Amino acid sequence: MTKVVTTVAELRAAKALLKPARIGMVPTMGALHDGHVSLVTEARKHADHVVVSIFVNPTQFAPGEDFDAYPRTLEADLKKLGDAAAIVFAPTAREMYPEGFATTVTVGGPSAGLETNFRPHFFAGVATAVAKLLIAALPDIAVFGEKDYQQLLVVKRLVRDLDLPIRVIGAPTLREADGLALSSRNAYLSADERKIATLLNIILTDTIATARSSDLRAAEATAIEALWKAGFSHVDYVAIRDAESMDHITALERPARILAAAKVGKTRLIDNMAI
Ligand code: PAF
């Protein structure tokens, strides 16, 4: 039976009852789909018990973004998890950020550029919440999706730089049959927008083939043009970067990653793939 707790004190007491055991953690913002379940399944491969946190973190949304609209579906989330999680930690914003909260965790390195160019507040919000969640639960391992690839690298750097005794594991992106990466935000898409959305992964796949035989900047520019032509309402970026550091690269000499963010109507989608 999953134990649902809402305070750090309750979380620590519930976790103490699970000992001795290896604990895994999967931080989420809820609205759980099969992609999240696959992260929990991955965590269970490395841990005896899994803590899933469900917290729509206000500090990673800028004014005007979808914080208010973001789906909050705790009952359905608990059903979706079934018995896969030993503990669900669903704190209130007041529990995470009590009156007078004055600390922000900022991570340099892989947070430079890409998402930061378009959502400058984002990684400080993520890093602050994730640092608090990891310190509250102190798991042995924590699983984050490769779907948010830059975020995964930022979390790895945070854990390394703060010497948190936690192994961060990246889990592959789960996709619909047509290749669209699973995301809670896909729920915002109309039927017509859904048809355009699937072209993101198709164009990225084509761009990987182009990048292998052409200049990387030219391949990125071709992909951006293809996204506009496909009906995306805005293209934030398509970028080919070093897969470990997010540094700029000019040739495919080391593991690389293609990353993209684009809007269909008002919905912002991100995706990425290994090269
Ligand atoms: O990827 C997410 O769902 C969120 O950014 C995270 C890691 C749970 C932090 O709020």
Side-chain angles (χ1 to χ4, degrees), residues 47-122:
D48 304 302
H49 299 290
V50 178
V51 178
V52 173
S53 63
I54 296 181
F55 177 60
V56 185
N57 174 35
T59 63
Q60 68 190 73
F61 292 80
E65 290 188 346
D66 58 343
F67 175 70
D68 291 330
Y70 202 86
R72 288 154 173 88
T73 55
L74 184 60
E75 284 310 311
D77 291 347
L78 294 176
K79 273 202 192 116
K80 184 99 194 153
L81 286 171
D83 287 336
I87 302 174
V88 167
F89 178 45
T92 59
R94 186 45 74 96
E95 176 70 12
M96 289 289 282
Y97 303 115
E99 188 70 36
F101 188 86
T103 298
T104 302
V105 179
T106 51
V107 179
S111 72
L114 304 175
E115 284 301 290
T116 295
N117 288 343
F118 296 90
R119 306 183 71 200
H121 57 284
F122 179 66

Side-chain angles (χ1 to χ4, degrees), residues 67-220:
F67 175 70
D68 291 330
Y70 202 86
R72 288 154 173 88
T73 55
L74 184 60
E75 284 310 311
D77 291 347
L78 294 176
K79 273 202 192 116
K80 184 99 194 153
L81 286 171
D83 287 336
I87 302 174
V88 167
F89 178 45
T92 59
R94 186 45 74 96
E95 176 70 12
M96 289 289 282
Y97 303 115
E99 188 70 36
F101 188 86
T103 298
T104 302
V105 179
T106 51
V107 179
S111 72
L114 304 175
E115 284 301 290
T116 295
N117 288 343
F118 296 90
R119 306 183 71 200
H121 57 284
F122 179 66
F123 285 122
V126 167
T128 305
V130 168
K132 282 188 63 94
L133 292 166
L134 293 179
I135 290 167
L138 277 185
D140 299 283
I141 63 110
V143 179
F144 290 80
E146 287 182 351
K147 161 79 174 26
D148 295 275
Y149 192 80
Q150 194 182 8
Q151 169 178 280
L152 169 64
L153 295 190
V154 168
V155 170
K156 282 188 171 170
R157 187 65 66 91
L158 159 82
V159 165
R160 191 192 82 178
D161 287 356
L162 296 184
D163 300 316
L164 297 179
I166 299 165
R167 183 154 73 94
V168 176
I169 297 169
T173 303
L174 224 65
R175 296 180 181 277
E176 304 277 8
D178 64 358
L180 178 67
L182 295 196
S183 163
S184 305
R185 289 189 168 102
N186 292 351
Y188 300 152
L189 298 170
S190 69
D192 285 345
E193 290 171 345
R194 174 67 184 75
K195 285 184 200 145
I196 296 172
T198 191
L199 296 168
L200 179 56
N201 82 87
I202 292 169
I203 289 169
L204 290 189
T205 307
D206 290 350
T207 307
I208 291 173
T210 312
R212 290 195 201 285
S213 60
S214 84
D215 173 75
L216 300 189
R217 300 295 84 79
E220 291 167 355

Side-chain angles (χ1 to χ4, degrees), residues 207 215-225 238-241 258:
T207 307
D215 173 75
L216 300 189
R217 300 295 84 79
E220 291 167 355
T222 306
I224 290 170
E225 204 185 318
V238 176
I240 297 171
R241 295 289 178 92
I258 184 165

